[in-house]
Amino acid sequence: MHYGDPTQDPHLNTINELDSEEARRQLNAVLDNATVAIFLMNERQQCTYMNAAAERLTGYSLHETQGRALHDVVHHTHPDGRHYPLEDCPIDRAFPERNRMQGEETFVHKDGRFYPVAFTASPIRDDNGHPIGTIIEVRGIAEEKARDTALRESEERFRNMADHAPVMMWVTESDGYCSYLNRAWHQFTGQTAEEAKGFGWLDATHPDDKGEAERIFASANARREAFRIEYRLRRADGVYRWAIDAAAPRFGPGGEFLGYIGSVIDIDERKEAEERQKLLVQELHHRVKNNLATVQSMVNFTLRTSETMDDFRKSVAHRLSALARSHSVLTSSSGRLTALRKILFSELEPYDHDRRVELDGPDLNVPDDVAMALAMATHELTTNASKYGALSVDTGVVCLSWSVEADGFDGRILSLQWRERGGPPVTIPTKRGFGSMLLERILGPQLRGAVQIEYPPEGVHVEIRGLIQAPVAHPYANFAQEVVP
Amino acid sequence: MKRNLAGARVLIAEDNIMVAMDLASEFEASGAEVMGPFARVEEAIAALDSGKPDGAILDVNLLDGIVTPLAVNLIETNVPVVFCTGVSLPTELGAHYPDAQVFIKPTSSDRLVDALALRLVPR
């Protein structure tokens, strides 16, 4: 039995078999209950019929539109206010072109507002196939449009967020096809969107890891489960970096599987940071031990060279302060170089009034070990000057000057002069203490140079010469002379 | 106990200025003659040309690197050595000389002098 052919069914009558009254009744029931707006137009594009949905959509009733070109009633103006001539209207071209036309347009409601519609205009033909009118179906699509816009905006928001995220992100569809990778991915791998899309992203993984990554992804995709892969990812410069790729399945409102959203983190970076931190802690440990050793030796040495407990107490306190000051200067300097002027001045600062301290020399940076040695020497010379020399009286002056000369090879020699004047007449010391031990025996070899102390009656004169050499083994880095702000 | 190291030559390799000064004066107060103190391995090895010491106190990390070449030179020629280091002996040095005497910084200079004094061979 063919249900499609009503003539085969004795219980159903076709419209053709009904009397015309009954046919009209049934046709009106169909047309007026349809949710799509239906218009009939004659050969002059005038509206001859509107169903109920059409009246609701346009705001006009049939008698308001009858006898007028429908276009001039509901479609006369563009949303930007320009006139919309009938000749330009694609809906009305169905008739002269004898073709079905479909598309989207914006109509004007009776109350003046614009609303988007989807239309289908089909020619009506007579028995000879000549067009005698047009039937137009129109659907209001304002809600659809709003949904589309909202979706597009939400999509744009996601992309905007993803492209500014500090991690690499990607999105796949239910069949595993990668439809989106964020900017961080493209920046890291150097892949273009075209190269990475689909399954191209796998080409950025290490050849030894690619097979396994593909297998884990495919099997997770089949089970729709979250997954996590570790692989080496090729960076734009060609270096492979270990990365963790973690992904969660996406599900639609109806619970349907949509694919995955995943993020990729370069864990080499973290590993390197951990390694750096470990080294820093070791370095710190080493320095703390070294400083404790310094303090212990300083106390021991000071004890041996002090005549009274009061001398001892004062000397230890002053030397500890000097060490602390030097450390502050060294810590605040960048890298492993310290500004010479800063380290020298930190010792002489307490006497820097009434023009009693003169510092004269070029701005230059010296390696930290040289800076520390010169700071200690300056401390001892300053202490000595304040006890017996130029800084022990109000009229005395200390002049500290320095210059740099080439050593004839690849290094530079620092020459530093300490001169006192205006102090009490100098006598050659009979006892050798901390200062002279430091200056005469330790400092020279430490600086690969020499220290000379003279005691002319007008004031102590010390010359310190030392090779200053940057600690990095770079052919041009043996000496770093920089302008210190 | 008052040590008497009169006539002994002791080499000191130490790049910490304060520790070097303290050690040198501690040894000299005991009557010893001090070679150095040296802040660089290279300079200490060069000084060996003018004669071997009777004993040595060695820091491990010096300004120009690890003390190993100097330590090996001394130990292989039967010079008693005492190490004083902030961390530990370099692995290959510790493995080669498991009996090496090592003090971890900070260690007071008189303990180091005592330790070396016990190992000095009277001449």
Side-chain angles (χ1 to χ4, degrees):
Chain A
M1 186 175 349
H2 300 276
Y3 287 107
D5 185 352
T7 57
Q8 299 291 309
D9 187 341
H11 305 292
L12 278 178
N13 296 316
T14 67
I15 285 174
N16 291 338
E17 287 166 357
L18 297 171
D19 62 59
S20 62
E21 199 51 42
E22 179 62 11
R24 188 185 310 278
R25 199 180 59 75
Q26 285 204 4
L27 201 56
N28 278 340
V30 170
L31 290 168
D32 283 340
N33 287 294
T35 54
V36 66
I38 294 171
F39 304 84
L40 284 176
M41 293 200 290
N42 62 17
E43 74 286 357
R44 292 199 304 277
Q45 318 287 4
Q46 291 169 338
C47 191
T48 57
Y49 173 78
M50 287 170 80
N51 70 347
E55 292 186 340
R56 280 198 301 277
L57 183 71
T58 60
Y60 295 101
S61 60
L62 181 60
H63 75 263
E64 289 173 289
T65 55
Q66 228 161 5
R68 300 170 67 189
L70 180 65
H71 178 87
D72 293 338
V73 181
V74 301
H75 204 193
H76 47 76
T77 309
H78 283 289
D80 60 11
R82 280 179 300 123
H83 173 64
Y84 200 150
L86 176 67
E87 307 83 69
D88 294 355
C89 179
I91 303 174
D92 294 281
R93 279 219 289 279
F95 180 80
E97 291 184 8
R98 304 186 181 191
N99 274 323
R100 166 173 284 192
M101 304 291 284
Q102 279 185 307
E104 291 184 5
E105 283 291 313
T106 304
F107 281 5
V108 192
H109 193 266
K110 189 181 177 184
D111 64 16
R113 72 186 148 87
F114 293 94
Y115 56 97
V117 297
F119 71 87
T120 304
S122 317
I124 305 169
R125 301 166 206 278
D126 65 13
D127 292 344
N128 300 319
H130 297 299
I132 53 168
T134 317
I135 177 165
I136 305 169
E137 302 163 50
V138 178
R139 199 160 45 83
I141 53 171
E143 281 178 22
E144 235 166 83
K145 284 268 181 198
R147 261 203 309 281
D148 277 0
T149 307
L151 193 66
R152 206 171 45 244
E153 278 173 3
S154 130
E155 184 101 327
E156 269 167 22
R157 255 201 310 279
F158 165 74
R159 260 157 218 240
N160 189 39
M161 193 187 75
D163 277 339
H164 289 93
V167 293
M168 293 174 265
M169 292 174 80
W170 52 264
V171 173
T172 55
E173 304 307 310
S174 58
D175 58 359
Y177 184 91
C178 181
S179 54
Y180 172 75
L181 291 131
N182 73 345
R183 197 180 296 164
W185 174 278
H186 298 302
Q187 278 169 353
F188 186 90
T189 61
Q191 279 188 322
T192 63
E194 283 62 43
E195 287 167 340
K197 268 192 180 169
F199 297 89
W201 61 272
L202 277 163
D203 294 338
T205 61
H206 193 280
D208 294 347
D209 303 334
K210 187 178 170 181
E212 179 72 355
E214 204 169 359
R215 195 189 59 73
I216 293 175
F217 175 60
S219 89
N221 202 64
R223 293 195 313 275
R224 303 169 178 192
E225 283 172 354
F227 67 86
R228 202 177 146 93
I229 320 175
E230 279 192 33
Y231 50 67
R232 280 159 290 179
L233 187 61
R234 194 180 58 235
R235 206 166 52 186
D237 61 4
V239 176
Y240 283 98
R241 307 268 290 179
W242 276 106
I244 286 187
D245 192 337
R250 301 186 293 128
F251 295 102
E256 71 277 19
F257 176 63
L258 299 177
Y260 284 94
I261 178 160
S263 59
V264 184
I265 309 167
D266 176 356
I267 52 171
D268 259 20
E269 213 166 77
R270 194 192 307 164
K271 279 183 182 163
E272 272 172 20
E274 281 169 6
E275 206 53 42
R276 267 200 306 277
Q277 196 181 10
K278 211 184 285 172
L279 282 176
L280 272 177
V281 171
Q282 274 171 12
E283 175 70 14
L284 183 67
H285 178 72
H286 188 79
R287 285 191 186 201
V288 168
K289 284 281 192 66
N290 201 41
N291 282 334
L292 287 174
T294 302
V295 170
Q296 186 186 48
S297 297
M298 186 271 286
V299 169
N300 200 31
F301 196 104
T302 307
L303 185 61
R304 196 177 308 115
T305 50
S306 296
E307 284 176 356
T308 65
M309 275 313 278
D310 195 48
D311 279 352
F312 170 69
R313 191 181 55 77
K314 279 182 186 153
S315 295
V316 165
H318 288 156
R319 283 173 182 148
L320 266 182
S321 304
L323 285 173
R325 267 197 306 278
S326 308
H327 271 284
S328 300
V329 176
L330 256 55
T331 310
S332 65
S333 67
S334 61
R336 294 180 154 183
L337 295 171
T338 299
L340 180 65
R341 183 185 300 275
K342 219 166 155 185
I343 197 98
L344 298 177
F345 185 64
S346 73
E347 292 304 324
L348 283 160
E349 196 172 5
Y351 304 96
D352 183 36
H353 50 81
D354 305 327
R355 297 184 183 165
R356 302 187 66 199
V357 174
E358 295 169 5
L359 289 181
D360 180 27
D363 283 338
L364 67 99
N365 289 339
V366 295
D368 281 356
D369 59 299
V370 173
M372 199 68 199
L374 291 175
M376 286 172 68
T378 312
H379 175 74
E380 294 307 325
L381 287 170
T382 305
T383 305
N384 213 55
S386 71
K387 276 187 187 165
Y388 317 108
L391 299 177
S392 69
V393 293
D394 292 342
T395 51
V397 171
V398 166
C399 172
L400 193 50
S401 61
W402 62 93
S403 59
V404 176
E405 53 204 76
D407 71 343
F409 300 98
D410 55 356
R412 297 277 187 103
I413 293 168
L414 171 72
S415 168
L416 201 128
Q417 312 281 334
W418 171 284
R419 284 178 205 275
E420 296 178 30
R421 62 174 193 267
V426 175
T427 52
I428 299 172
T430 48
K431 196 167 152 280
R432 300 172 79 74
F434 191 104
S436 62
M437 171 95 176
L438 169 69
L439 289 165
E440 289 172 334
R441 282 192 58 188
I442 310 287
L443 198 63
Q446 185 91 9
L447 299 177
R448 279 180 285 187
V451 177
Q452 218 174 354
I453 309 178
E454 287 167 14
Y455 302 95
E458 64 270 22
V460 171
H461 174 211
V462 179
E463 185 188 27
I464 301 171
R465 289 170 67 81
L467 190 67
I468 42 175
Q469 183 178 314
V472 276
H474 184 277
Y476 301 108
N478 284 339
F479 172 68
Q481 182 166 16
E482 289 165 23
V483 175
V484 180
Chain B
M1 184 185 83
K2 194 70 192 162
R3 299 165 300 253
N4 184 0
L5 298 180
R9 253 157 69 94
V10 176
L11 183 146
I12 298 173
E14 169 62 67
D15 65 348
N16 182 313
I17 294 173
M18 213 59 102
V19 175
M21 281 172 62
D22 183 31
L23 272 174
S25 72
E26 190 78 40
F27 272 107
E28 281 166 3
S30 305
E33 182 196 339
V34 171
M35 289 173 73
F38 300 103
R40 292 178 185 80
V41 181
E42 193 190 334
E43 287 158 12
I45 289 176
L48 295 180
D49 290 347
S50 65
K52 290 272 174 189
D54 300 308
I57 302 276
L58 306 181
D59 179 20
V60 168
N61 290 295
L62 296 177
L63 287 184
D64 62 346
I66 301 280
V67 79
T68 306
L70 172 64
V72 170
N73 188 319
L74 293 172
I75 296 171
E76 293 300 318
T77 52
N78 300 316
V79 175
V81 166
V82 168
F83 292 98
C84 182
T85 166
V87 194
S88 61
L89 273 197
T91 328
E92 81 277 5
L93 206 55
H96 210 78
Y97 305 109
D99 298 332
Q101 197 167 4
V102 182
F103 288 89
I104 301 296
K105 281 181 184 176
T107 300
S108 70
S109 53
D110 53 346
R111 275 196 71 191
L112 291 173
V113 172
D114 285 344
L116 189 66
L118 287 176
R119 302 184 58 180
L120 288 182
V121 184
R123 289 196 282 200

